[in-house]
Amino acid sequence: GAKAVFPETITAQAGGEAGVPVWQLVRTSHSWKGCGATAFEVAPAASWSHIVDTLRFVRDQVVPALGEVEALSGYRNEGLNACSNGAPASAHRHFFALDLVPVAAGVTRDSLIRSVCGAHSRQGRAYQAGLGFYSGLHFHVDSRGYRRWGPDGSGATSPCVRVA
């Protein structure tokens, strides 16, 4: 039989609709141009299955709590990750992570934090979901281990601490 290709493999493993369009899954980083990289890159095939649990968490927990989201960054190769100031062991390097923003107008940072922290508190452990917050409405979800963090990378600064 024919070998499954990128979007079909991920959609099938996620158990149906992935909740994030494929073109968003292959976005690299907002700093791609300044880093001399490409705006879109498909992760190595050996890593495709890594994003499946992240997509399940987004589809099953984040979207019902917050509304539709847009993925701004998925897989980042080592060079682009370093140039983008990503953590050396970033979950993006192995395609476990997505950086997201809400699609709906009118979402505030406080409502974002309440919604996403609530979803993470209720079901994050079951999905082995990591949750981090950047400035504004940008946040990070991965499936490389249950944890949360804030601006300095520590759990103590996660905005979820205030809403727990």
Side-chain angles (χ1 to χ4, degrees), residues 61-73:
Q61 305 303 322
V62 173
V63 170
L66 179 65
E68 293 299 314
V69 293
E70 180 177 347
L72 302 178
S73 180

Side-chain angles (χ1 to χ4, degrees), residues 28-38 41 73 75-90 92-93:
T28 56
S29 170
H30 68 278
S31 56
W32 67 270
K33 192 179 273 185
C35 291
T38 61
E41 184 175 356
S73 180
Y75 171 72
R76 293 195 301 247
N77 65 51
E78 184 176 0
L80 179 56
N81 187 66
C83 181
S84 300
N85 295 316
S90 172
H92 288 277
R93 289 204 39 234

Side-chain angles (χ1 to χ4, degrees), residues 11-144:
T11 301
Q13 289 181 3
E17 186 58 42
V20 176
V22 171
W23 72 270
Q24 292 177 19
L25 289 179
V26 296
R27 277 178 156 173
T28 56
S29 170
H30 68 278
S31 56
W32 67 270
K33 192 179 273 185
C35 291
T38 61
F40 302 95
E41 184 175 356
V42 175
S47 299
W48 293 355
S49 64
H50 296 171
I51 200 67
V52 170
D53 286 337
T54 303
L55 289 169
R56 285 183 184 137
F57 182 72
V58 169
R59 180 193 65 205
D60 298 347
Q61 305 303 322
V62 173
V63 170
L66 179 65
E68 293 299 314
V69 293
E70 180 177 347
L72 302 178
S73 180
Y75 171 72
R76 293 195 301 247
N77 65 51
E78 184 176 0
L80 179 56
N81 187 66
C83 181
S84 300
N85 295 316
S90 172
H92 288 277
R93 289 204 39 234
H94 302 286
F95 202 39
F96 284 99
L98 294 172
D99 291 342
L100 304 161
V101 293
V103 170
V107 174
T108 65
R109 182 162 172 88
D110 284 342
S111 66
L112 165 79
I113 289 168
R114 275 194 312 279
S115 298
V116 180
C117 289
H120 188 255
S121 292
R122 287 187 300 276
Q123 292 294 323
R125 192 174 304 280
Y127 288 83
Q128 286 299 295
L131 175 62
F133 290 90
Y134 305 117
S135 63
L137 300 177
H138 293 77
F139 66 104
H140 167 109
V141 174
D142 69 57
S143 57
R144 208 178 61 184

